[in-house]
């Protein structure tokens, strides 16, 4: 498996992949794919990666720039997706880990996610770490934070995902 930055030519494969990954989940069909398109249109993409096997895109992850008080470099993780039939093979984990490394290289200070509470703590995300951040998702156990630069999470008072997240 190769993990690489997404290219404009990948967009035709990414949208159906993300849509298919969430079919049957507790999400409206296409919502996550619309988030990806919307974040791109807003110019809020920080890191966008795909996983490729034998020339076929089998996974995708997006980290987007969040609006924060005070002004910090904060990345919102999501969506992360793997093709049905390719799930539970570590594709999503590999994409997240590589994405976090690329975020660190960009100087991202904190990453936030609104996701499945049993899944994201394996990467260091914590609902307790996000508890004091003012957000529309504050208090939701799915709202989690990961400090990438020590000491910066204490500074973060408010964070909003890009408008595409609705």
């Amino acid at each position: 498996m190769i993990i690489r930055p997404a290219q404009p030519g990948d967009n035709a494969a990414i949208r159906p992949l993300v849509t298919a990954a969430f079919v049957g989940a507790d999400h409206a069909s296409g919502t996550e794919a619309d988030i990806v398109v919307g974040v791109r249109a807003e110019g809020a993409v920080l890191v966008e990666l795909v996983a490729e096997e034998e020339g076929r895109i089998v996974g995708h992850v997006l980290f987007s720039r969040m609006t924060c008080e005070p002004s910090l470099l904060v990345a919102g993780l999501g969506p992360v997706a793997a093709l049905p039939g390719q799930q539970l093979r570590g594709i999503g984990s590999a994409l997240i880990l590589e994405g976090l490394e690329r975020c660190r290289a960009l100087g991202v200070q904190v990453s936030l996610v609104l996701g499945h509470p049993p899944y994201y703590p394996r990467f260091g995300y914590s609902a307790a770490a996000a508890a004091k951040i003012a957000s529309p998702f504050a208090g939701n156990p799915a709202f989690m934070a990961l400090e990438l630069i020590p000491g910066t999470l204490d500074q973060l008072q408010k964070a909003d995902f890009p408008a595409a997240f609705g």
Side-chain angles (χ1 to χ4, degrees):
M1 176 173 59
I2 297 168
I3 296 177
R4 61 170 177 78
Q7 303 298 317
D10 298 329
N11 294 350
I14 291 170
R15 184 175 184 92
L17 179 153
V18 173
T19 300
F22 287 94
V23 168
D26 294 331
H27 306 278
S29 180
T31 301
E32 286 77 11
D34 291 342
I35 289 171
V36 173
V37 172
V39 168
R40 286 184 195 137
E42 290 177 58
V45 173
L46 285 171
V47 174
E48 184 176 10
L49 304 172
V50 295
E52 188 179 307
E53 288 184 341
E54 300 177 8
R56 179 176 160 217
I57 295 175
V58 296
H60 173 264
V61 69
L62 180 67
F63 288 84
S64 54
R65 181 183 305 273
M66 298 186 70
T67 305
C68 304
E69 291 178 19
S71 182
L72 299 172
L73 186 51
V74 177
L77 165 58
V80 60
L83 279 175
Q86 301 294 315
Q87 296 171 352
L88 303 174
R89 293 185 43 232
I91 294 169
S93 292
L95 285 163
I96 291 169
L97 291 170
E98 178 66 23
L100 287 170
E101 285 307 310
R102 290 177 186 243
C103 283
R104 282 185 182 95
L106 291 173
V108 172
Q109 297 160 290
V110 174
S111 180
L112 300 174
V113 68
L114 184 65
H116 196 55
Y119 182 72
Y120 291 95
R122 72 183 73 186
F123 306 103
Y125 288 90
S126 161
K132 66 178 183 149
I133 301 168
S135 164
F137 307 107
N140 184 331
F143 183 56
M144 296 173 265
L146 170 64
E147 187 174 61
L148 299 178
I149 296 178
T152 56
L153 192 53
D154 292 334
Q155 300 171 40
L156 186 58
Q157 298 167 4
K158 182 179 180 191
D160 290 308
F161 285 90
F165 283 81

